[in-house]
Amino acid sequence: MGIKNFFKNAFSDMKASAKSQHEVDKANLNAVKAESKAQWEEAKMSPKARQAKMQEEREKQIAEANERKALAEERIRKARGEK
């Protein structure tokens, strides 16, 4: 009866794996739907609101770049043995 239990366990594992993958797929589909709706709403924004949003994103990118630059300069100082 060893082979019977082997197949029983194998099919049980496949069923659990398929169920887990279905949950992942469902979550990904919901995320894509939400992103699509967000893009649609952003496309309907007024030109002034769109410009303000773009400027906000640019400022965020500049701040992140400045932070990365500061971290890199700190690493350079440490590598040179400076304080």
Side-chain angles (χ1 to χ4, degrees), residues 18-77:
K19 185 176 181 179
S20 297
Q21 186 60 45
H22 178 70
E23 290 175 10
V24 169
D25 291 343
K26 207 163 53 167
N28 284 332
L29 178 64
N30 288 334
V32 168
K33 283 181 180 180
E35 289 170 346
S36 178
K37 185 171 183 170
Q39 287 176 342
W40 174 252
E41 293 299 326
E42 287 173 346
K44 294 189 315 184
M45 287 177 17
S46 69
K48 285 186 178 185
R50 187 176 297 122
Q51 286 177 346
K53 182 180 178 293
M54 293 295 287
Q55 185 61 34
E56 182 180 316
E57 288 177 6
R58 285 187 210 108
E59 290 171 359
K60 181 180 175 185
Q61 289 174 350
I62 290 169
E64 289 172 356
N66 288 336
E67 184 178 332
R68 289 182 14 230
K69 181 182 173 190
L71 290 173
E73 289 172 348
E74 179 66 26
R75 288 174 47 204
I76 291 169
R77 282 193 295 275

